[in-house]
Amino acid sequence: MHTSIAAVVVLYADGHITYVNDYVQDIFGRVKDTLIGTQVDDIEWYLCSLDGKPLATQALPFRQILDDASTADDHQLLVCVPERDPKVVSINGAPVLTAEGNVSYGVFFIHDISQRKKTEQALKELNETLEQRVKTRTLELEDLNQQLHSEVLEGQAKERALAQSEHRYHLLAGNIPNSDLYLVDTNMRILLADGTATRKINLELAPLAGQTLREAFEPAIADVLEPLFAQALAGQEASGELRYVLPEATTTISATSSDTLVVI
């Protein structure tokens, strides 16, 4: 017991202290030589409950074991010695019985678990913080998922609207005799082209989508169409005319623009 890392207290059945080790002074601030032979109930142990309430003598584990021949297993209390930081201790004790079953003496081991309790509290706070972070991140991910879902639905709606719009333009182009219909963006890039007019100059419209006017047409045609498209994008109506010389004949093509459409 001299080499124990806990404070050791041995009591006779009548409550007198017969042995303590050096750790008693570390925990309770008591010099061990002044404790030997002293009645345990006459000593101020400064033991309190974990919420800081002083304990009556009868509530101390020393007296309970001597009186009831019971045991103490990890009985956690505060040691509140004046002018010293409180310590959290774990008291374990058991009676030693005579052949007749009476208490001969009690042996107690008292461990300072202050650091362990601080670590447990720190871990508890860390876990609570992590749990809160997980909840917060989960909510953020749920919001992001909802946002992405809404964006996907919005994108699908736009795609359907665009497809319907293109379908209407194709129907429109197909019902204007000897005409072509073009839909362009601000970079003069052709988004949609349909119709029959440019077949007069042996030009297929299907490959034009995605090309700029300069990429799609010869310079002479692009020089006429670009101003018309520019005026259409500016919200103005305009018309122009170009002559295209074919091997068989000379063809005159008229072009009219309105909004972002050019009809040839």
Side-chain angles (χ1 to χ4, degrees):
M1 289 188 289
H2 287 288
T3 59
S4 172
I5 60 173
V8 179
V9 177
V10 180
L11 306 175
Y12 285 122
D14 62 2
H16 283 85
I17 299 173
T18 182
Y19 172 85
V20 295
N21 68 354
D22 294 332
Y23 279 99
V24 169
Q25 183 170 347
D26 294 338
I27 294 178
F28 296 103
R30 298 287 187 178
V31 178
K32 69 175 184 177
D33 293 339
T34 64
L35 297 176
I36 303 298
T38 306
Q39 174 61 240
V40 68
D41 296 336
D42 295 337
I43 299 173
E44 177 57 73
W45 296 100
Y46 302 109
L47 287 170
C48 306
S49 61
L50 291 178
D51 58 4
K53 296 179 180 179
L55 297 176
T57 301
Q58 293 76 12
L60 296 178
F62 306 123
R63 178 50 60 190
Q64 291 178 347
I65 288 176
L66 295 178
D67 293 346
D68 304 335
S70 58
T71 60
D73 183 19
D74 192 26
H75 195 133
Q76 296 184 12
L77 298 171
L78 276 179
V79 179
C80 303
V81 178
E83 300 182 359
R84 295 178 63 176
D85 292 334
K87 296 179 183 292
V88 183
V89 297
S90 172
I91 300 177
N92 296 272
V96 177
L97 305 179
T98 64
E100 293 78 19
N102 299 318
V103 176
S104 176
Y105 53 90
V107 180
F108 300 87
F109 295 88
I110 306 164
H111 294 84
D112 182 354
I113 61 170
S114 302
Q115 187 57 48
R116 188 186 89 188
K117 298 297 287 187
K118 289 179 181 179
T119 301
E120 289 175 353
Q121 182 62 28
L123 288 174
K124 179 182 177 182
E125 293 174 358
L126 177 60
N127 287 334
E128 291 174 352
T129 300
L130 290 175
E131 287 177 3
Q132 184 58 45
R133 288 180 180 175
V134 169
K135 289 180 182 178
T136 300
R137 185 56 178 161
T138 300
L139 291 175
E140 290 175 351
L141 291 174
E142 288 176 352
D143 290 342
L144 179 59
N145 185 55
Q146 183 61 40
Q147 180 181 347
L148 291 174
H149 181 66
S150 299
E151 290 176 356
V152 168
L153 293 179
E154 182 180 352
Q156 291 173 344
K158 288 181 179 179
E159 288 178 359
R160 288 194 296 270
L162 179 59
Q164 293 171 358
S165 178
E166 290 182 354
H167 179 66
R168 287 195 296 269
Y169 284 133
H170 284 296
L171 288 177
L172 178 61
N175 287 279
I176 303 177
N178 299 318
S179 298
D180 290 338
L181 184 144
Y182 293 81
L183 181 64
V184 298
D185 62 17
T186 56
N187 296 316
M188 297 298 176
R189 189 171 300 279
I190 300 170
L191 304 177
L192 180 146
D194 198 5
T196 60
T198 47
R199 293 176 186 171
K200 299 174 184 177
I201 56 176
N202 298 322
L203 179 66
E204 293 295 332
L205 293 181
L208 298 183
Q211 300 185 64
T212 64
L213 294 178
R214 291 286 171 185
E215 293 169 344
F217 296 103
E218 296 179 4
I221 299 177
D223 288 342
V224 174
L225 295 182
E226 274 193 344
L228 295 175
F229 277 90
Q231 288 179 284
L233 291 169
Q236 303 171 7
E237 292 188 6
S239 63
E241 185 176 282
L242 61 88
R243 294 174 65 81
Y244 198 89
V245 179
L246 298 173
E248 299 83 3
T250 299
T251 300
T252 299
I253 299 177
S254 298
T256 303
S257 66
S258 175
D259 197 9
T260 58
L261 298 177
V262 174
V263 180
I264 298 177

